Amino acid sequence: MSIPDDNDLRELAETLGARLRDSHHRLVTAESCTGGWIAKAVTDIAGSSDWFDCGMAAYSYEAKQALLGVRPETLETHGAVSRETVIEMVSGALVNSGASIAVAVTGIAGPGGGSEDKPVGTVWIGWKRRGGYARAEVFHFDGDREAVRRQTVAAALRGLDAVAG
């Protein structure tokens, strides 16, 4: 997979914005390893106030618990970078916002922090529509910290476009 540049991310955000506006959805983001980059990408689009509700950058365990309702047991048992955690993050984002569609990301962007079972580049992304079931997918991105984060933003936006459609 090639590393998306700023123009690629802008195109993805514009396409998503048009779909959300047309389907009358409002978006919330819950971000760990991207630190708010998905929210930045979508709010770079003029008129995003029509379809963007809010974004939460929840890096620490404490923030994931307080802002998104991730259970301490989930973090202790599975860790921050897990299917279980991203599903609780995306669900909590909807509970704590006025949005109708959500995305959550948690991963290891590097250069440190990886392990044998969760190497650098491991990212979980979750998507959910209000009233629906969460969907989560694990990705294994290559490259440095910036490359991992860019690929995560692109994958999150693509997944949102599919969920909103």
Side-chain angles (χ1 to χ4, degrees):
M1 172 187 265
S2 65
I3 309 304
D5 63 19
D6 290 344
N7 289 330
D8 296 328
L9 296 179
R10 181 172 188 79
E11 284 179 23
L12 288 168
E14 285 175 343
T15 300
L16 172 64
R19 184 175 308 277
L20 292 173
R21 185 180 54 252
D22 292 347
S23 60
H24 305 287
H25 280 296
R26 290 186 63 78
L27 172 64
V28 60
T29 62
E31 304 181 61
S32 187
C33 62
T34 49
W37 198 337
I38 300 166
K40 183 219 181 298
V42 299
T43 58
D44 280 348
I45 307 306
S48 58
S49 60
D50 291 341
W51 47 270
F52 182 73
D53 186 61
C54 63
M56 292 169 247
Y59 230 66
S60 69
Y61 275 28
E62 294 80 9
K64 285 175 179 66
Q65 292 169 48
L67 297 175
L68 301 168
V70 176
R71 296 175 308 129
E73 307 81 51
T74 301
L75 293 166
E76 290 167 13
T77 304
H78 303 285
V81 181
S82 65
R83 179 180 192 281
E84 293 79 5
T85 295
V86 84
I87 286 175
E88 289 185 21
M89 287 174 67
V90 76
S91 298
L94 283 172
V95 166
N96 293 304
S97 73
S100 56
I101 193 166
V103 64
V105 297
T106 184
I108 305 162
S115 65
E116 192 172 312
D117 41 321
K118 293 180 186 178
V120 169
T122 303
V123 176
W124 277 95
I125 305 178
W127 302 270
K128 186 175 181 180
R129 286 172 75 152
R130 189 172 295 281
Y133 292 103
R135 180 173 76 84
E137 187 174 344
V138 66
F139 295 84
H140 299 282
F141 297 124
D142 291 322
D144 63 11
R145 183 176 183 80
E146 169 117 351
V148 168
R149 295 174 78 207
R150 283 182 173 278
Q151 291 169 88
T152 301
V153 173
L157 293 171
R158 285 187 195 103
L160 277 167
D161 193 50
V163 170

